[in-house]
Amino acid sequence: MSEKIFEVDHLSLHYLTRFGEKVHAVTDVSFSMKQGEILGIAGESGCGKSTLVSGLMGMCIPPLYPTSGDVRVSGESLMNRSESDIRSNVLAQKISMIPQGAFNALNPVRKIKDIAADVIAAHQKQGSPSSAKEIYQRLCERFDLFGMDTQRVLNSYPIQLTAGERQRSVIGISTLLNPRMVIADEPTSALDVSTQKEVIKMIFDLLEKGIFSTMIFITHELPLLYHVADNIAIMYAGEFVEMGTAEQVVKDPRHPYTQALMGAMLSSESSQRSRKPVAIEGAPPSLNQTIVGCRFAERCTRACPDCKKNTQSIRMVGDRLVRCDYAK
Amino acid sequence: MPNDIIFSAKNVSKIFGMGKKAKVAVDDVSFEIKDGEIVTIVGGSGCGKSVLAKIMLGLYPPTTGEFLYCGKKITNLKAHWNEVQFVFQDPFSCFNQFFTIRSQLEDSLNILKNKPSRAEVKARVDAGLLAVNVKPSDIEDKYAFELSGGQMQRMLLARIFALRPRVLIADEPTSMVDACVRANILDYLMKLKQELHMTVVFVTHDIGLANYVSDRIFIMHEGKLVNVGTPAEVLDNTTEPHTLKLLDDIPEVHNAEWIKHS
Ligand SMILES: Nc1ncnc2c1ncn2[C@@H]1O[C@H](COP(=O)(O)OP(=O)(O)OP(=O)(O)O)[C@@H](O)[C@H]1O
Ligand SMILES: Nc1ncnc2c1ncn2[C@@H]1O[C@H](COP(=O)(O)OP(=O)(O)OP(=O)(O)O)[C@@H](O)[C@H]1O
Ligand SMILES: [Mg+2]
Ligand SMILES: [Mg+2]
């Protein structure tokens, strides 16, 4: 039996605004991952994906606060620990993140090799300081392994690199300490399709070489997730509304929101040229108040009066989890 | 020149730097964009799409060649932007952190020649927000740092929908939003285009979007336009190698060969 490397129990997170109001950005998220699994998370922009990532790393930095629930990596809880504890004992070693908008993550006035040294120094376990030379050597070996033009890339400023080289450098740096788990937040959304494919290939290469084994991949692009992930969770207004295998969620979605996402796809095929993507009007509910009933009900074409009254709980429908009392 | 030509480029190049370090970002392109047309510019990273978009905005004068808007050189930027509006690629850098989003959206209507009344400004901003699936009350007192990446990108489009410009240049306007929001945005844009006879230039990595919205697609590679025509001409049965490569790399669900992973 394979061990659960990552467990999330009923995690809820909120922002405290300047007016002392709570914005409940993530509500009651639960899932667990086995060693070697790739979980994809997709959902509406603003549904709480990046906020969830902060929570999953134990990095709740004000104005973000944990409301309730637990996150464990190989049994070790990440909740209610200090930022410096998480930084020096968890990040980059156990969990590493590839951030949304990686371009902005690279300091424009430092060379790639210096950026890497900064990152490693910040996350080095206390008592095991390696010299700048050792770090540099390790960096070279790793970049060689990816088949990068190592010397040129390491000695360049971010602006001198192509978008693909920049993104691959970010991935190379954030996986240098062999974290067990990687969380990638929209790592390819800013890239063209060819560069995107290049970056995904590199990620699979790292998996194959055993540099890390387990990954959460976040994107708003479901077709991409279909190719990348084993399992997919769909998020709406802070909640998981459907979770199953990539095949189930993309090819046979059961939650009305997942179905709407698939109906809104665009394709480059001539047969799809004049097919109008189905838009859903309206907006998700405001997250600063208590929400009664299904969060999607207001925009759901199949909603009935009960949906607006009854809060939906997530349940098994056709071998996957769905948060809709009427899904079949 | 017939006055239904919005943009015309004759042998336009844009070169950054000089001598050995010179970088040709746009390389001898010629084209015309007609009034009411929707054109999408597609191509790999660094091929010169954003530079070409900035030439259209008058931000970069071409190094060589002639670039005209409605038959005239772009000289007065303020007058140009009264008619030609834009969505920049990086939404994070487009809003001031010290003012609320709402006040910035309302302020942007001040550039209009015929200033709308207070009530109309409010109504137009509200309509713009709804068109990008945002409840006006949800952003009432919000600052940019309180929004997600995709929400910020949608604010840039809400601004356009409130401004209702004659010409729109949009650089990757939907790269951070999900398919449902994108569909809603395109719906509204099409309605607006019908109503105002707007001309739209999209820059995008999203070939599905180009296929759906465009009258014509420009495929760009290393500063040159390598394939220009209607979606059918450019995408169906093409033999142009750069276009083929892009089509091949789209992660369409039915493309089982997209990547081999065990
Ligand atoms: N201000 C500048 N100075 C020097 N070089 C520049 C400048 N702006 C752009 N370039 C260069 O011109 C080329 C084209 O850049 P551009 O931003 O137009 O690419 P793009 O097609 O928009 O790429 P992406 O898809 O990544 O946005 C690139 O090689 C870039 O490095
Ligand atoms: N500092 C903050 N204060 C209050 N609300 C916030 C703050 N930061 C984010 N939010 C809200 O929390 C919600 C979730 O934001 P988050 O960035 O997690 O979304 P996301 O799913 O990653 O979206 P995207 O796909 O656009 O990146 C949004 O509604 C956002 O407006
Ligand atoms: Mg995000
Ligand atoms: Mg660009």
Short mmCIF file of all heavy atoms in Angstrom, two decimals, chain A residues 18 44-45 163 190-194 197 204 220 223 226-227 264 266-270 273 276-277 280 282-286 299, chain B residues 45 133 135 138 141 143 146 154 175 177-179 182 187 205 211-212 231-232 236 246 249-255 258 261:
data_model
loop_
_atom_site.label_atom_id
_atom_site.label_comp_id
_atom_site.label_asym_id
_atom_site.label_seq_id
_atom_site.Cartn_x
_atom_site.Cartn_y
_atom_site.Cartn_z
N ARG A 18 -9.26 45.56 5.39
CA ARG A 18 -9.00 46.78 6.15
C ARG A 18 -10.19 47.18 7.01
O ARG A 18 -10.06 47.92 7.96
CB ARG A 18 -8.66 47.92 5.19
CG ARG A 18 -7.30 47.79 4.54
CD ARG A 18 -7.22 48.63 3.30
NE ARG A 18 -7.98 48.05 2.20
CZ ARG A 18 -8.97 48.63 1.59
NH1 ARG A 18 -9.35 49.82 1.93
NH2 ARG A 18 -9.60 48.01 0.61
N GLU A 44 -12.63 28.84 -11.81
CA GLU A 44 -12.83 30.20 -12.28
C GLU A 44 -11.74 31.12 -11.74
O GLU A 44 -11.24 30.92 -10.64
CB GLU A 44 -14.20 30.69 -11.81
CG GLU A 44 -14.56 32.03 -12.42
CD GLU A 44 -16.05 32.31 -12.34
OE1 GLU A 44 -16.53 32.60 -11.24
OE2 GLU A 44 -16.72 32.23 -13.37
N SER A 45 -11.39 32.13 -12.52
CA SER A 45 -10.38 33.07 -12.02
C SER A 45 -10.96 33.77 -10.80
O SER A 45 -12.11 34.21 -10.80
CB SER A 45 -9.99 34.03 -13.14
OG SER A 45 -10.44 35.32 -12.87
N ALA A 163 11.41 33.50 -22.82
CA ALA A 163 10.39 33.17 -21.82
C ALA A 163 10.54 31.73 -21.35
O ALA A 163 10.41 31.43 -20.17
CB ALA A 163 9.00 33.42 -22.40
N ALA A 190 1.43 32.19 -19.26
CA ALA A 190 1.91 33.34 -20.01
C ALA A 190 2.70 32.93 -21.25
O ALA A 190 3.24 33.77 -21.95
CB ALA A 190 2.77 34.22 -19.10
N LEU A 191 2.78 31.64 -21.52
CA LEU A 191 3.65 31.16 -22.59
C LEU A 191 2.87 30.78 -23.85
O LEU A 191 1.71 30.40 -23.77
CB LEU A 191 4.43 29.94 -22.10
CG LEU A 191 5.23 30.13 -20.80
CD1 LEU A 191 5.83 28.81 -20.35
CD2 LEU A 191 6.31 31.17 -20.99
N ASP A 192 3.54 30.83 -24.99
CA ASP A 192 2.91 30.35 -26.21
C ASP A 192 2.89 28.82 -26.18
O ASP A 192 3.59 28.20 -25.39
CB ASP A 192 3.67 30.85 -27.44
CG ASP A 192 5.05 30.26 -27.51
OD1 ASP A 192 5.94 30.75 -26.79
OD2 ASP A 192 5.25 29.29 -28.26
N VAL A 193 2.07 28.22 -27.05
CA VAL A 193 1.86 26.77 -26.97
C VAL A 193 3.14 25.96 -27.09
O VAL A 193 3.30 24.94 -26.42
CB VAL A 193 0.82 26.27 -28.01
CG1 VAL A 193 -0.58 26.71 -27.59
CG2 VAL A 193 1.14 26.71 -29.41
N SER A 194 4.09 26.41 -27.92
CA SER A 194 5.32 25.64 -28.10
C SER A 194 6.20 25.70 -26.85
O SER A 194 6.74 24.69 -26.41
CB SER A 194 6.11 26.14 -29.31
OG SER A 194 5.29 26.09 -30.45
N LYS A 197 4.72 23.61 -24.10
CA LYS A 197 5.00 22.19 -24.24
C LYS A 197 6.42 21.86 -23.79
O LYS A 197 6.67 20.86 -23.12
CB LYS A 197 4.80 21.78 -25.70
CG LYS A 197 4.80 20.28 -25.91
CD LYS A 197 4.35 19.97 -27.31
CE LYS A 197 4.50 18.50 -27.60
NZ LYS A 197 4.07 18.18 -28.97
N PHE A 204 8.04 16.73 -16.76
CA PHE A 204 7.96 15.27 -16.83
C PHE A 204 9.34 14.62 -16.74
O PHE A 204 9.50 13.56 -16.16
CB PHE A 204 7.23 14.83 -18.10
CG PHE A 204 5.73 14.98 -18.00
CD1 PHE A 204 4.94 14.91 -19.13
CD2 PHE A 204 5.13 15.17 -16.76
CE1 PHE A 204 3.56 15.04 -19.02
CE2 PHE A 204 3.75 15.30 -16.65
CZ PHE A 204 2.97 15.25 -17.79
N HIS A 220 -6.02 27.35 -15.45
CA HIS A 220 -7.44 27.49 -15.77
C HIS A 220 -7.74 26.71 -17.04
O HIS A 220 -8.87 26.67 -17.49
CB HIS A 220 -7.81 28.97 -15.94
CG HIS A 220 -6.99 29.62 -16.99
ND1 HIS A 220 -5.83 30.31 -16.69
CD2 HIS A 220 -7.11 29.65 -18.32
CE1 HIS A 220 -5.30 30.73 -17.80
NE2 HIS A 220 -6.05 30.34 -18.81
N PRO A 223 -8.03 21.45 -20.90
CA PRO A 223 -7.41 20.51 -21.85
C PRO A 223 -5.94 20.24 -21.52
O PRO A 223 -5.46 19.12 -21.68
CB PRO A 223 -7.54 21.23 -23.20
CG PRO A 223 -8.68 22.16 -23.02
CD PRO A 223 -8.65 22.60 -21.60
N TYR A 226 -5.76 17.79 -18.71
CA TYR A 226 -6.08 16.44 -19.17
C TYR A 226 -4.80 15.69 -19.54
O TYR A 226 -4.66 14.50 -19.26
CB TYR A 226 -7.02 16.53 -20.37
CG TYR A 226 -7.34 15.19 -20.98
CD1 TYR A 226 -8.22 14.31 -20.35
CD2 TYR A 226 -6.73 14.79 -22.17
CE1 TYR A 226 -8.49 13.08 -20.90
CE2 TYR A 226 -7.01 13.55 -22.73
CZ TYR A 226 -7.89 12.70 -22.09
OH TYR A 226 -8.15 11.48 -22.62
N HIS A 227 -3.85 16.39 -20.16
CA HIS A 227 -2.61 15.75 -20.57
C HIS A 227 -1.60 15.62 -19.42
O HIS A 227 -0.74 14.77 -19.45
CB HIS A 227 -1.95 16.53 -21.71
CG HIS A 227 -2.71 16.44 -22.99
ND1 HIS A 227 -2.70 15.33 -23.79
CD2 HIS A 227 -3.52 17.33 -23.61
CE1 HIS A 227 -3.47 15.52 -24.84
NE2 HIS A 227 -3.98 16.74 -24.75
N ALA A 264 -17.55 25.79 -22.83
CA ALA A 264 -17.02 27.09 -23.22
C ALA A 264 -15.66 26.97 -23.91
O ALA A 264 -15.04 27.97 -24.24
CB ALA A 264 -16.90 27.99 -21.98
N LEU A 266 -12.69 26.52 -26.62
CA LEU A 266 -12.51 26.94 -28.01
C LEU A 266 -11.47 26.00 -28.62
O LEU A 266 -10.59 25.50 -27.93
CB LEU A 266 -11.99 28.37 -28.07
CG LEU A 266 -12.97 29.45 -27.62
CD1 LEU A 266 -12.26 30.78 -27.49
CD2 LEU A 266 -14.12 29.55 -28.60
N SER A 267 -11.56 25.77 -29.91
CA SER A 267 -10.63 24.85 -30.54
C SER A 267 -10.11 25.45 -31.84
O SER A 267 -10.71 26.35 -32.41
CB SER A 267 -11.35 23.53 -30.81
OG SER A 267 -10.73 22.84 -31.85
N SER A 268 -8.97 24.96 -32.30
CA SER A 268 -8.40 25.49 -33.54
C SER A 268 -8.91 24.74 -34.77
O SER A 268 -8.49 25.01 -35.89
CB SER A 268 -6.88 25.38 -33.47
OG SER A 268 -6.51 24.03 -33.35
N GLU A 269 -9.82 23.79 -34.58
CA GLU A 269 -10.31 22.97 -35.70
C GLU A 269 -11.30 23.76 -36.57
O GLU A 269 -12.06 24.58 -36.06
CB GLU A 269 -11.08 21.77 -35.15
CG GLU A 269 -10.41 21.09 -34.01
CD GLU A 269 -9.79 19.79 -34.44
OE1 GLU A 269 -10.53 18.97 -34.99
OE2 GLU A 269 -8.57 19.62 -34.25
N SER A 270 -11.31 23.43 -37.85
CA SER A 270 -12.24 24.14 -38.73
C SER A 270 -13.68 23.80 -38.38
O SER A 270 -14.57 24.64 -38.46
CB SER A 270 -11.95 23.79 -40.19
OG SER A 270 -12.06 22.40 -40.38
N ARG A 273 -15.07 26.19 -35.80
CA ARG A 273 -14.86 27.62 -36.03
C ARG A 273 -16.09 28.45 -35.70
O ARG A 273 -15.98 29.50 -35.09
CB ARG A 273 -14.44 27.84 -37.49
CG ARG A 273 -14.04 29.26 -37.80
CD ARG A 273 -13.15 29.31 -39.02
NE ARG A 273 -11.91 28.57 -38.78
CZ ARG A 273 -11.34 27.78 -39.66
NH1 ARG A 273 -11.88 27.59 -40.86
NH2 ARG A 273 -10.23 27.15 -39.37
N LYS A 276 -20.37 28.61 -31.17
CA LYS A 276 -20.29 29.67 -30.18
C LYS A 276 -20.03 29.04 -28.81
O LYS A 276 -20.78 28.16 -28.40
CB LYS A 276 -21.62 30.43 -30.18
CG LYS A 276 -21.62 31.75 -29.49
CD LYS A 276 -22.96 32.44 -29.83
CE LYS A 276 -23.20 33.75 -29.15
NZ LYS A 276 -23.02 33.91 -27.79
N PRO A 277 -18.98 29.46 -28.11
CA PRO A 277 -18.77 28.91 -26.78
C PRO A 277 -19.92 29.36 -25.88
O PRO A 277 -20.38 30.49 -25.99
CB PRO A 277 -17.45 29.53 -26.34
CG PRO A 277 -17.33 30.77 -27.13
CD PRO A 277 -18.02 30.52 -28.44
N ILE A 280 -21.64 31.76 -19.42
CA ILE A 280 -22.59 31.86 -18.32
C ILE A 280 -22.51 33.26 -17.74
O ILE A 280 -21.45 33.73 -17.36
CB ILE A 280 -22.39 30.80 -17.21
CG1 ILE A 280 -20.92 30.54 -16.93
CG2 ILE A 280 -23.11 29.51 -17.56
CD1 ILE A 280 -20.70 29.61 -15.75
N GLY A 282 -23.50 36.48 -15.12
CA GLY A 282 -23.51 36.62 -13.67
C GLY A 282 -22.15 36.39 -13.06
O GLY A 282 -21.16 36.23 -13.77
N ALA A 283 -22.10 36.39 -11.74
CA ALA A 283 -20.84 36.28 -11.02
C ALA A 283 -21.02 35.34 -9.84
O ALA A 283 -22.14 35.12 -9.40
CB ALA A 283 -20.43 37.67 -10.53
N PRO A 284 -19.91 34.77 -9.36
CA PRO A 284 -20.03 33.93 -8.17
C PRO A 284 -20.45 34.76 -6.96
O PRO A 284 -20.33 35.98 -6.98
CB PRO A 284 -18.61 33.37 -7.99
CG PRO A 284 -17.72 34.27 -8.77
CD PRO A 284 -18.54 34.85 -9.86
N PRO A 285 -20.97 34.11 -5.90
CA PRO A 285 -21.44 34.87 -4.74
C PRO A 285 -20.30 35.60 -4.04
O PRO A 285 -19.15 35.18 -4.12
CB PRO A 285 -22.02 33.78 -3.82
CG PRO A 285 -21.38 32.51 -4.26
CD PRO A 285 -21.11 32.66 -5.72
N SER A 286 -20.62 36.70 -3.37
CA SER A 286 -19.61 37.43 -2.60
C SER A 286 -19.15 36.55 -1.46
O SER A 286 -19.95 35.89 -0.80
CB SER A 286 -20.22 38.71 -2.03
OG SER A 286 -20.86 39.41 -3.07
N ARG A 299 -26.28 30.79 -11.22
CA ARG A 299 -25.88 30.80 -12.63
C ARG A 299 -26.16 29.47 -13.31
O ARG A 299 -25.85 29.29 -14.49
CB ARG A 299 -24.39 31.11 -12.74
CG ARG A 299 -24.01 32.39 -12.03
CD ARG A 299 -22.51 32.52 -11.86
NE ARG A 299 -21.85 32.92 -13.11
CZ ARG A 299 -20.53 32.96 -13.25
NH1 ARG A 299 -19.75 32.58 -12.24
NH2 ARG A 299 -20.00 33.35 -14.38
N SER B 45 6.85 33.19 -28.27
CA SER B 45 7.37 34.20 -27.37
C SER B 45 8.54 34.96 -27.99
O SER B 45 9.43 34.34 -28.56
CB SER B 45 7.89 33.49 -26.12
OG SER B 45 7.22 33.95 -25.03
N ASN B 133 -18.02 39.35 -15.67
CA ASN B 133 -18.48 38.49 -14.57
C ASN B 133 -18.03 38.96 -13.19
O ASN B 133 -17.60 38.16 -12.36
CB ASN B 133 -18.03 37.03 -14.76
CG ASN B 133 -18.57 36.39 -16.02
OD1 ASN B 133 -17.99 36.53 -17.08
ND2 ASN B 133 -19.68 35.72 -15.90
N LYS B 135 -19.41 41.32 -9.90
CA LYS B 135 -20.46 42.13 -9.28
C LYS B 135 -19.84 43.46 -8.87
O LYS B 135 -18.87 43.48 -8.12
CB LYS B 135 -20.95 41.45 -7.98
CG LYS B 135 -21.91 40.31 -8.18
CD LYS B 135 -22.65 40.07 -6.85
CE LYS B 135 -23.48 38.81 -6.92
NZ LYS B 135 -22.78 37.65 -6.35
N ASP B 138 -18.74 43.88 -5.36
CA ASP B 138 -17.60 43.10 -4.88
C ASP B 138 -16.27 43.83 -4.99
O ASP B 138 -15.30 43.44 -4.35
CB ASP B 138 -17.48 41.77 -5.63
CG ASP B 138 -18.35 40.70 -4.98
OD1 ASP B 138 -18.92 40.99 -3.91
OD2 ASP B 138 -18.45 39.60 -5.53
N ASP B 141 -14.69 48.86 -2.77
CA ASP B 141 -13.60 49.55 -2.06
C ASP B 141 -12.27 48.85 -2.25
O ASP B 141 -11.36 49.01 -1.45
CB ASP B 141 -13.91 49.61 -0.56
CG ASP B 141 -15.23 50.28 -0.30
OD1 ASP B 141 -15.40 51.43 -0.75
OD2 ASP B 141 -16.10 49.65 0.32
N TYR B 143 -8.57 47.50 -3.67
CA TYR B 143 -7.35 47.94 -4.32
C TYR B 143 -6.81 46.79 -5.16
O TYR B 143 -7.17 45.63 -4.95
CB TYR B 143 -6.31 48.35 -3.27
CG TYR B 143 -6.68 49.62 -2.54
CD1 TYR B 143 -7.57 49.58 -1.47
CD2 TYR B 143 -6.17 50.84 -2.96
CE1 TYR B 143 -7.92 50.76 -0.81
CE2 TYR B 143 -6.51 52.00 -2.31
CZ TYR B 143 -7.40 51.97 -1.23
OH TYR B 143 -7.74 53.13 -0.60
N GLU B 146 -5.71 43.42 -3.79
CA GLU B 146 -6.70 42.53 -3.19
C GLU B 146 -7.41 41.68 -4.24
O GLU B 146 -8.39 41.00 -3.94
CB GLU B 146 -7.73 43.35 -2.40
CG GLU B 146 -7.11 44.02 -1.18
CD GLU B 146 -8.05 44.98 -0.48
OE1 GLU B 146 -8.53 45.91 -1.14
OE2 GLU B 146 -8.29 44.80 0.71
N ARG B 154 -9.33 41.14 -15.85
CA ARG B 154 -10.72 41.46 -16.21
C ARG B 154 -11.02 42.94 -15.98
O ARG B 154 -11.86 43.52 -16.67
CB ARG B 154 -11.66 40.57 -15.42
CG ARG B 154 -11.72 39.17 -16.01
CD ARG B 154 -11.80 38.09 -14.95
NE ARG B 154 -13.10 38.04 -14.32
CZ ARG B 154 -13.41 37.19 -13.33
NH1 ARG B 154 -12.51 36.34 -12.91
NH2 ARG B 154 -14.60 37.19 -12.82
N SER B 175 -5.42 35.82 -21.10
CA SER B 175 -4.50 34.72 -20.81
C SER B 175 -4.65 34.15 -19.40
O SER B 175 -4.19 33.06 -19.12
CB SER B 175 -3.05 35.19 -21.01
OG SER B 175 -2.79 36.24 -20.12
N VAL B 177 -7.72 34.00 -17.62
CA VAL B 177 -9.09 33.70 -17.18
C VAL B 177 -9.55 32.34 -17.71
O VAL B 177 -9.04 31.83 -18.69
CB VAL B 177 -10.09 34.81 -17.59
CG1 VAL B 177 -9.62 36.16 -17.08
CG2 VAL B 177 -10.32 34.84 -19.09
N ASP B 178 -10.54 31.77 -17.02
CA ASP B 178 -11.05 30.46 -17.41
C ASP B 178 -11.96 30.57 -18.63
O ASP B 178 -12.35 31.66 -19.04
CB ASP B 178 -11.81 29.87 -16.23
CG ASP B 178 -12.95 30.77 -15.81
OD1 ASP B 178 -12.69 31.77 -15.12
OD2 ASP B 178 -14.09 30.52 -16.21
N ALA B 179 -12.32 29.43 -19.18
CA ALA B 179 -13.07 29.38 -20.43
C ALA B 179 -14.44 30.06 -20.33
O ALA B 179 -14.88 30.72 -21.28
CB ALA B 179 -13.25 27.92 -20.87
N ARG B 182 -13.94 33.82 -20.34
CA ARG B 182 -13.50 34.19 -21.69
C ARG B 182 -14.69 34.24 -22.64
O ARG B 182 -14.83 35.18 -23.44
CB ARG B 182 -12.46 33.18 -22.18
CG ARG B 182 -11.94 33.46 -23.58
CD ARG B 182 -10.93 32.43 -24.04
NE ARG B 182 -11.53 31.10 -24.08
CZ ARG B 182 -10.86 29.98 -24.30
NH1 ARG B 182 -9.56 30.02 -24.49
NH2 ARG B 182 -11.48 28.82 -24.32
N ASP B 187 -18.45 37.38 -25.88
CA ASP B 187 -19.84 37.70 -26.17
C ASP B 187 -20.08 39.20 -26.14
O ASP B 187 -20.65 39.78 -27.06
CB ASP B 187 -20.72 37.09 -25.04
CG ASP B 187 -21.66 36.05 -25.56
OD1 ASP B 187 -21.41 35.55 -26.68
OD2 ASP B 187 -22.64 35.74 -24.85
N HIS B 205 -1.76 34.00 -27.56
CA HIS B 205 -1.19 32.66 -27.71
C HIS B 205 -2.30 31.66 -27.95
O HIS B 205 -2.04 30.48 -28.18
CB HIS B 205 -0.48 32.23 -26.42
CG HIS B 205 0.73 33.03 -26.08
ND1 HIS B 205 1.72 33.27 -26.99
CD2 HIS B 205 1.14 33.61 -24.93
CE1 HIS B 205 2.66 33.99 -26.39
NE2 HIS B 205 2.33 34.21 -25.16
N ASN B 211 -9.10 31.42 -33.87
CA ASN B 211 -9.94 30.69 -34.81
C ASN B 211 -11.38 31.16 -34.74
O ASN B 211 -12.07 31.28 -35.74
CB ASN B 211 -9.85 29.19 -34.50
CG ASN B 211 -10.54 28.33 -35.52
OD1 ASN B 211 -10.61 28.69 -36.70
ND2 ASN B 211 -11.06 27.19 -35.10
N TYR B 212 -11.84 31.44 -33.51
CA TYR B 212 -13.24 31.78 -33.31
C TYR B 212 -13.56 33.24 -33.63
O TYR B 212 -14.53 33.54 -34.30
CB TYR B 212 -13.65 31.45 -31.87
CG TYR B 212 -15.02 31.94 -31.48
CD1 TYR B 212 -16.16 31.42 -32.11
CD2 TYR B 212 -15.19 32.91 -30.51
CE1 TYR B 212 -17.42 31.88 -31.77
CE2 TYR B 212 -16.45 33.38 -30.16
CZ TYR B 212 -17.56 32.86 -30.80
OH TYR B 212 -18.80 33.32 -30.46
N PRO B 231 -9.13 32.68 -40.99
CA PRO B 231 -8.81 31.48 -40.21
C PRO B 231 -8.74 30.22 -41.08
O PRO B 231 -7.81 29.41 -40.91
CB PRO B 231 -9.95 31.40 -39.19
CG PRO B 231 -10.36 32.82 -38.99
CD PRO B 231 -10.18 33.48 -40.33
N ALA B 232 -9.64 30.09 -42.02
CA ALA B 232 -9.62 28.91 -42.89
C ALA B 232 -8.34 28.86 -43.71
O ALA B 232 -7.68 27.83 -43.81
CB ALA B 232 -10.84 28.90 -43.80
N ASP B 236 -6.41 25.83 -41.84
CA ASP B 236 -6.81 24.55 -42.43
C ASP B 236 -5.81 24.13 -43.50
O ASP B 236 -5.48 24.91 -44.39
CB ASP B 236 -8.21 24.66 -43.07
CG ASP B 236 -9.25 25.10 -42.06
OD1 ASP B 236 -8.92 25.17 -40.87
OD2 ASP B 236 -10.39 25.39 -42.49
N LEU B 246 2.93 25.44 -34.39
CA LEU B 246 2.02 25.96 -33.36
C LEU B 246 0.80 25.05 -33.22
O LEU B 246 0.41 24.67 -32.12
CB LEU B 246 1.57 27.38 -33.70
CG LEU B 246 2.60 28.50 -33.54
CD1 LEU B 246 2.05 29.81 -34.08
CD2 LEU B 246 2.99 28.68 -32.07
N ASP B 249 1.42 21.89 -31.34
CA ASP B 249 1.74 22.00 -29.91
C ASP B 249 0.55 22.38 -29.03
O ASP B 249 0.69 22.51 -27.82
CB ASP B 249 2.87 23.03 -29.72
CG ASP B 249 4.21 22.50 -30.22
OD1 ASP B 249 4.33 21.27 -30.37
OD2 ASP B 249 5.12 23.31 -30.46
N ILE B 250 -0.64 22.54 -29.62
CA ILE B 250 -1.82 22.87 -28.81
C ILE B 250 -2.25 21.62 -28.04
O ILE B 250 -2.40 20.56 -28.63
CB ILE B 250 -3.00 23.32 -29.69
CG1 ILE B 250 -2.60 24.50 -30.56
CG2 ILE B 250 -4.22 23.68 -28.83
CD1 ILE B 250 -3.66 24.88 -31.56
N PRO B 251 -2.44 21.73 -26.72
CA PRO B 251 -2.85 20.54 -25.96
C PRO B 251 -4.33 20.22 -26.11
O PRO B 251 -5.07 20.20 -25.14
CB PRO B 251 -2.50 20.91 -24.51
CG PRO B 251 -2.58 22.38 -24.46
CD PRO B 251 -2.22 22.89 -25.82
N GLU B 252 -4.81 19.98 -27.33
CA GLU B 252 -6.22 19.63 -27.51
C GLU B 252 -6.46 18.27 -26.86
O GLU B 252 -5.60 17.39 -26.89
CB GLU B 252 -6.56 19.56 -29.01
CG GLU B 252 -6.31 20.87 -29.75
CD GLU B 252 -7.58 21.55 -30.22
OE1 GLU B 252 -8.65 21.30 -29.63
OE2 GLU B 252 -7.49 22.35 -31.17
N VAL B 253 -7.67 18.10 -26.31
CA VAL B 253 -7.97 16.88 -25.56
C VAL B 253 -7.82 15.62 -26.44
O VAL B 253 -7.30 14.60 -26.01
CB VAL B 253 -9.39 16.96 -24.96
CG1 VAL B 253 -9.82 15.61 -24.40
CG2 VAL B 253 -9.41 18.01 -23.86
N HIS B 254 -8.25 15.72 -27.70
CA HIS B 254 -8.24 14.52 -28.54
C HIS B 254 -6.86 14.22 -29.13
O HIS B 254 -6.67 13.19 -29.76
CB HIS B 254 -9.26 14.65 -29.67
CG HIS B 254 -9.01 15.86 -30.52
ND1 HIS B 254 -8.02 15.89 -31.46
CD2 HIS B 254 -9.58 17.07 -30.50
CE1 HIS B 254 -8.01 17.08 -32.01
NE2 HIS B 254 -8.95 17.83 -31.45
N ASN B 255 -5.89 15.11 -28.90
CA ASN B 255 -4.55 14.89 -29.43
C ASN B 255 -3.76 13.98 -28.49
O ASN B 255 -2.97 14.43 -27.67
CB ASN B 255 -3.84 16.24 -29.62
CG ASN B 255 -2.45 16.09 -30.19
OD1 ASN B 255 -1.97 14.98 -30.45
ND2 ASN B 255 -1.78 17.21 -30.39
N TRP B 258 0.00 14.39 -27.78
CA TRP B 258 0.54 15.68 -27.37
C TRP B 258 1.81 15.54 -26.55
O TRP B 258 2.79 16.21 -26.80
CB TRP B 258 -0.50 16.50 -26.59
CG TRP B 258 -0.02 17.90 -26.35
CD1 TRP B 258 0.10 18.88 -27.28
CD2 TRP B 258 0.43 18.47 -25.13
NE1 TRP B 258 0.58 20.03 -26.72
CE2 TRP B 258 0.80 19.81 -25.39
CE3 TRP B 258 0.57 18.00 -23.83
CZ2 TRP B 258 1.28 20.67 -24.42
CZ3 TRP B 258 1.06 18.86 -22.85
CH2 TRP B 258 1.41 20.19 -23.15
N HIS B 261 3.68 10.49 -21.59
CA HIS B 261 3.96 10.41 -20.16
C HIS B 261 3.34 9.14 -19.62
O HIS B 261 2.18 8.86 -19.88
CB HIS B 261 3.38 11.62 -19.45
CG HIS B 261 3.56 11.56 -17.96
ND1 HIS B 261 4.80 11.46 -17.40
CD2 HIS B 261 2.68 11.56 -16.95
CE1 HIS B 261 4.66 11.43 -16.08
NE2 HIS B 261 3.38 11.48 -15.78
#
